[in-house]
Amino acid sequence: MNSSEKETVESPEPFDGDRPLDLNAALSVVAAAEKRARRELRADGTWLYLLWALAWLLGYGLLHGSQKGWLPLQPETALLVFGVLIALGVISTVVVFARQSRGIRGHSTFTGGFYAVSWALGFTVLSALGGAIAAAVDDFWLRGMLINGIAILIVGLLYITGGTTFNDVVQVVMGIWFLVVDLAAIFAGPDHFLTVFFILGSGGFFVGAAFEALRQRRRFSHA
Amino acid sequence: MPELDPVIHAESRLRAIATLNEVGERDRIAFTKLQKILEMTAGNLSTHLRKLEDAGYVTVSKTIEGRTPATYVAITPEGKAAYAAYRKALHEMLTIELTEKP
């Protein structure tokens, strides 16, 4: 215990919470304490999925608009905005998980830490591979489809890994969904892959957010 | 008739062990973070953690993080079992109370 903790140990308490409880009060205390602990200790996936849903909707939407001509936007500009949106999503996710894991040590530090490292390593390899693809492929949209296809392969596999590591079925299903969408986009080809991601990719995050919100509500109501 | 563990059956200790149960026995939580979640003073929390520690339900360990001393708290397997038994007994007693009401 540090010095500031020791100082307050000696201060008298108006109420020490040592009174026995009646049964209903005890049940309420259990429910409230578990609810509060879950809120403080687990990141709210609903907001993160919503954030990513909006980032994909806007990002892929802008690229789609520039490709199909329903937005007066150069593909390079749309790609730049897409990159900024993805970067904002990554920063927000890192901040949320860093806040959640602050003050916690042990097994979750190991699993969460290496899970985060897997994401970083996966996308480091992708950036190198993306450079090689960009040098080898001239067509802007074919290049985009190939790099995006590999990125979503990493996302899908890591969502499944995350779901199995943290016992989260919503994440597993979303990972499978992203891989199915990726496959559909590759079959759709460079002219239509953005349509697939614009609708089904962001849609997967919106549905994931809805399931996560439902699950949180059910969890709290059964606490 | 089920009985409630008197070590757990007090508001502050019940809140503390319920929170530590959510942290899980494979992790430990910083005293300051636990204090913030429980909205208890350091003195009050220390007193109740000592009672839970004496019963073998939690472990308290001290470490140095950088140059700052830090205290971490974790629930033990015995603590998890005791909390599960407490919850079960509480539900059974409430069921009995409900069925015995005219």
Side-chain angles (χ1 to χ4, degrees):
Chain A
M1 202 167 291
N2 63 33
S3 56
S4 65
E5 286 164 8
K6 273 184 182 163
E7 278 168 24
T8 36
V9 169
E10 286 154 15
S11 64
E13 299 294 338
F15 167 63
D16 73 354
D18 212 5
R19 291 187 302 221
L21 297 153
D22 75 60
L23 299 181
N24 285 305
L27 190 67
S28 302
V29 167
V30 165
E34 289 183 354
K35 183 177 175 178
R36 174 77 194 259
R38 282 171 194 156
R39 268 210 186 121
E40 295 285 340
L41 299 169
R42 314 216 199 307
D44 189 349
T46 310
W47 294 108
L48 279 179
Y49 292 154
L50 267 181
L51 180 83
W52 278 104
L54 291 172
W56 279 29
L57 188 72
L58 265 172
Y60 284 117
L62 290 175
L63 281 164
H64 187 269
S66 77
Q67 185 188 33
K68 302 293 176 195
W70 55 268
L71 275 176
L73 206 60
Q74 289 298 311
E76 290 79 9
T77 313
L79 185 63
L80 184 71
V81 180
F82 176 79
V84 169
L85 287 166
I86 297 300
L88 285 175
V90 170
I91 292 166
S92 308
T93 307
V94 168
V95 168
V96 166
F97 282 104
R99 282 187 62 187
Q100 177 202 321
S101 60
R102 194 183 301 150
I104 301 288
R105 295 284 176 272
H107 183 68
S108 68
T109 315
F110 171 79
T111 50
F114 278 102
Y115 182 60
V117 166
S118 307
W119 278 93
L121 284 175
F123 278 88
T124 303
V125 173
L126 175 71
S127 62
L129 198 57
I133 292 170
V137 181
D138 287 335
D139 183 80
F140 183 86
W141 299 112
L142 176 62
R143 203 161 63 203
M145 190 195 81
L146 292 173
I147 296 171
N148 188 69
I150 301 165
I152 304 306
L153 174 67
I154 296 171
V155 170
L157 291 177
L158 282 174
Y159 260 74
I160 295 171
T161 308
T164 50
T165 305
F166 306 112
N167 195 26
D168 181 357
V169 74
V170 174
Q171 255 193 79
V172 172
V173 174
M174 285 172 75
I176 293 168
W177 176 251
F178 292 140
L179 293 181
V180 171
V181 170
D182 205 18
L183 202 62
I186 292 163
F187 283 131
D191 290 339
H192 302 290
F193 82 100
L194 286 169
T195 313
V196 176
F197 274 102
F198 176 38
I199 299 165
L200 300 178
S202 57
F205 273 121
F206 278 120
V207 174
F211 271 104
E212 188 61 29
L214 272 175
R215 188 168 63 171
Q216 300 251 354
R217 187 177 293 179
R218 201 173 303 148
R219 192 182 282 162
F220 289 150
S221 65
H222 285 93
Chain B
M1 183 76 174
E3 277 187 22
L4 294 173
D5 185 335
V7 177
I8 298 176
H9 191 56
E11 183 176 348
S12 294
R13 290 194 293 278
L14 181 55
R15 289 174 61 218
I17 202 162
T19 305
L20 290 167
N21 185 61
E22 288 298 323
V23 173
E25 63 185 293
R26 299 176 83 181
D27 281 326
R28 51 194 194 280
I29 184 169
F31 181 93
T32 45
K33 182 161 182 160
L34 182 63
Q35 189 194 339
K36 184 179 155 254
I37 294 172
L38 294 171
E39 292 175 334
M40 287 165 69
T41 63
N44 202 358
L45 181 56
S46 294
T47 306
H48 291 293
L49 286 179
R50 206 166 296 134
K51 287 182 182 174
L52 290 169
E53 194 181 14
D54 290 344
Y57 293 167
V58 305
T59 55
V60 179
S61 54
K62 293 166 203 312
T63 184
I64 302 287
E65 286 181 339
R67 289 182 175 180
T68 318
T71 305
Y72 279 85
V73 189
I75 195 166
T76 62
E78 293 76 21
K80 260 193 111 61
Y83 180 65
Y86 176 88
R87 280 199 64 156
K88 186 169 178 278
L90 182 62
H91 280 102
E92 283 173 5
M93 289 170 80
L94 279 164
T95 309
I96 292 166
E97 197 178 83
L98 272 174
T99 49
E100 281 177 355
K101 269 186 183 167

